[in-house]
Amino acid sequence: MAEILLFHHALGLTAGLQSFAERLRANHHVVHCPDAYSGQTFKDLDDGLRFAQDIGHDALEEVANRAYRQHRDAAVVIGFSLGSSQAQQLAQHKRRIKACLLMGGAQAPESLGGDWRHTCHLQLHVADPDEWVDPGVVEGLMYRAPHGELFRYNSKGHMFIDPSSRDYDADAADQFEERVVDWLATIDADAGEAWARF
C-alpha cells in the first residue's frame, strides 16, 4: 500500500481525477487530493489557467507544502500538468518523498531551486507531441533522473487521461492507468529496500 498526494491539473479537481483516485483506493492505496481551487472546476483550459494565475505560484506551492505537513505518511506524489510542479517541488526538496509520477508536465530541476534527488524514483508520462510540455525539459529531467521511466503517448491530447477533458482518449487513459497501478504495486512490494537501487 502506498500513501499518495495527488495534485490536480489546471481544470481543477475534476470528476475524472476523483474517479481515478477512487480506483487507486480500491487497489488499497491511500490517496489524498489537495484542492487548490476550493472545489471549483473548469471546462476550458484557458479559464483554468487564468484562475491558477490569479491564485499565484506561491499559493499553489503552499497548498502542496500544507498537504505534505498534514499527511505525514505520504511518500508518493502524483502531479497532473499544473500539479506536476507541486509534485516535483516536493519530490526534489522533501526526503520523505520516495517516488514521483508526473503526467503532462515537467520542470527543469534548477527552476525549482535544486537538483533531482537520485533516491526518489521518477515516472513521467507525456503526450507526444504536447504543446504544453517542452521536450528539452523532459530530456533534461530524465538525464538528471537516470533510473526514471518515460512513457510517450503518440498523437494524444495533453490531458488524454481525464474524461472531464476534451483531450480524453479511453484507450490511452487505460494504458496510463495500468502503468500507474503496476508502478505502485512495485513500490508496495519492494517496500523498505526498493529505493536502495536509486
Side-chain angles (χ1 to χ4, degrees):
M1 180 195 76
E3 187 159 348
I4 302 162
L5 299 177
L6 186 154
F7 298 99
H8 63 74
H9 48 58
L11 298 180
L13 187 56
T14 60
L17 286 187
Q18 293 186 63
S19 294
F20 173 71
E22 284 299 325
R23 291 192 295 277
L24 294 183
R25 293 179 184 120
N27 275 289
H28 311 293
H29 301 294
V30 177
V31 186
H32 309 287
C33 300
D35 188 352
Y37 287 8
S38 301
Q40 189 155 350
T41 60
F42 298 90
K43 294 290 187 184
D44 184 80
L45 182 58
D46 288 337
D47 292 338
L49 288 171
R50 277 192 292 270
F51 190 79
Q53 289 170 353
D54 289 342
I55 292 172
H57 176 269
D58 290 347
L60 292 173
E61 185 175 326
E62 177 52 29
V63 168
N65 288 327
R66 185 168 62 246
Y68 175 83
R69 293 191 299 268
Q70 288 175 343
H71 304 293
R72 296 184 177 275
D73 292 325
V76 178
V77 289
I78 298 177
F80 292 88
S81 192
L82 177 76
S84 67
S85 180
Q86 294 167 293
Q88 188 176 335
Q89 177 80 26
L90 292 180
Q92 287 189 199
H93 293 282
K94 306 296 186 183
R95 290 185 176 272
R96 192 178 77 220
I97 302 302
K98 301 299 183 184
C100 173
L101 186 145
L102 306 176
M103 194 281 139
Q107 302 291 320
E110 60 272 18
S111 73
L112 297 176
D115 204 347
W116 188 260
R117 292 188 301 113
H118 288 182
T119 54
C120 184
H121 184 56
L122 173 67
Q123 193 174 90
L124 178 56
H125 300 256
V126 292
D128 186 22
D130 188 335
E131 63 180 322
W132 295 99
V133 181
D134 185 334
V137 170
V138 170
E139 291 175 10
L141 179 56
M142 297 310 297
Y143 177 79
R144 300 285 187 84
H147 299 290
E149 298 174 282
L150 172 62
F151 295 102
R152 300 182 186 274
Y153 299 80
N154 293 330
S155 303
K156 305 304 176 188
H158 172 64
M159 201 44 56
F160 64 86
I161 55 87
D162 188 348
S164 306
S165 168
R166 296 169 184 165
D167 292 335
Y168 179 62
D169 183 287
D171 290 340
D174 286 347
Q175 185 178 43
F176 164 79
E177 191 163 328
E178 288 171 6
R179 286 168 170 168
V180 174
V181 169
D182 288 346
W183 182 70
L184 291 172
T186 300
I187 292 169
D188 193 19
D190 289 348
E193 59 184 349
W195 309 112
R197 298 195 302 268
F198 300 105

